[in-house]
């Protein structure tokens, strides 16, 4: 049992499918950035930056409240990749794991993107995001899971095995990596 399970990766890689599968398997809680209710944007703020910050902080508060209420295996999913670097800071001392989904076959990602009900279908942006995610060194308590050539059931089974057999660090020194290692929908990091 983990306190928190984070799923990160590019659009179309299967984060939501895995997150929902893990929620069914572990019967914990499931928090996704898209679940934050609509809210107004104050004048004189950077709209994208403000929206992303509010969504992140609302999700963190919700996950912490679930934890306070005794719920474990809380799944956090679909945050801006840049927030991945915040996870070791915010969740230090907790029993958490981050599953970094990657896919080394662009055609598989494109096919998965075509079969989605909604979400990103910008293939060039997806390619650039994938390159950035695939190159980035692993963070503390982060494990890479390559979905290339695997069914969603195989990915779920492999993720469960990783989660159940990985003993995360609770105490560690952490220096947050530079923003250049991550992509961001808000800043675009020169991707578009």
């Amino acid at each position: 049992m983990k306190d928190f399970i984070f799923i990160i990766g590019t659009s179309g890689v299967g984060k939501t499918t895995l997150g929902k599968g893990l929620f069914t398997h572990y019967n914990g809680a499931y928090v996704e950035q898209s679940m934050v209710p609509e809210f107004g944007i104050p004048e004189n703020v950077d709209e994208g930056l403000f929206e992303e910050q509010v969504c992140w902080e609302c999700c963190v508060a919700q996950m912490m409240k679930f934890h306070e209420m005794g719920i474990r295996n809380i799944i956090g999913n679909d945050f801006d990749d840049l927030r991945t670097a915040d996870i070791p800071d915010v969740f230090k001392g907790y029993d958490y794991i981050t599953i970094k989904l990657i896919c080394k076959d662009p055609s598989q990602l494109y096919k998965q993107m075509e079969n989605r009900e909604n979400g990103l279908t910008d293939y060039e942006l997806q390619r650039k995001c994938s390159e950035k995610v695939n190159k980035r060194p692993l963070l503390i308590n982060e494990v890479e899971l390559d979905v290339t050539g695997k069914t969603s059931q195989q990915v779920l089974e492999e993720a469960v095995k990783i989660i159940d057999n990985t003993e995360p660090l609770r105490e560690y020194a952490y220096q947050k990596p530079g923003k250049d290692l991550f992509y961001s929908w808000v800043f675009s990091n020169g991707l578009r």
Side-chain angles (χ1 to χ4, degrees):
M1 183 175 291
K2 300 285 184 274
D3 292 325
F4 303 97
I5 301 164
F6 296 97
I7 305 166
I8 66 107
T10 62
S11 186
V13 78
K15 296 185 304 288
T16 299
T17 302
L18 177 58
K20 290 179 178 178
L22 290 172
F23 171 68
T24 300
H25 179 81
Y26 288 113
N27 193 31
Y30 183 78
V31 177
E32 191 173 291
Q33 182 168 312
S34 64
M35 295 174 171
V36 174
E38 294 293 324
F39 54 89
I41 308 289
E43 292 181 19
N44 302 319
V45 298
D46 180 310
E47 185 176 323
L49 195 59
F50 181 82
E51 181 180 7
E52 193 278 334
Q53 181 180 355
V54 169
C55 287
W56 168 250
E57 290 183 13
C58 285
C59 288
V60 168
Q62 190 174 18
M63 288 185 287
M64 292 300 194
K65 189 62 178 178
F66 281 135
H67 188 272
E68 181 185 309
M69 300 298 293
I71 297 171
R72 297 300 180 265
N73 294 319
I74 301 161
I75 297 158
N77 192 6
D78 209 21
F79 305 114
D80 191 19
D81 186 55
L82 194 57
R83 289 297 179 177
T84 304
D86 291 331
I87 293 171
D89 269 339
V90 175
F91 295 91
K92 183 176 183 176
Y94 291 96
D95 188 0
Y96 78 89
I97 188 168
T98 301
I99 305 292
K100 174 182 169 182
L101 297 181
I102 67 161
C103 182
K104 296 178 180 175
D105 179 7
S107 65
Q108 179 179 331
L109 282 174
Y110 299 161
K111 186 175 181 184
Q112 287 174 198
M113 290 169 72
E114 288 172 356
N115 294 325
R116 298 162 46 155
E117 292 177 22
N118 54 37
L120 176 72
T121 54
D122 182 335
Y123 302 119
E124 182 61 20
L125 179 59
Q126 207 294 330
R127 182 189 61 76
K128 291 177 181 179
C129 292
S130 286
E131 287 172 1
K132 197 167 266 285
V133 168
N134 292 0
K135 286 182 197 174
R136 180 180 56 76
L138 294 174
L139 301 174
I140 293 169
N141 294 336
E142 187 175 41
V143 178
E144 189 173 271
L145 196 166
D146 187 353
V147 303
T148 306
K150 296 175 185 167
T151 66
S152 57
Q153 183 62 35
Q154 290 171 320
V155 171
L156 174 62
E157 290 169 4
E158 193 170 333
V160 167
K161 189 179 290 186
I162 290 168
I163 292 163
D164 290 350
N165 294 300
T166 301
E167 191 63 40
L169 298 172
R170 286 179 177 251
E171 295 301 321
Y172 46 78
Y174 177 67
Q175 184 172 350
K176 191 172 172 177
K179 289 181 181 181
D180 60 316
L181 294 177
F182 303 86
Y183 70 87
S184 169
W185 298 114
V186 177
F187 299 113
S188 293
N189 288 355
L191 296 174
R192 287 191 176 189

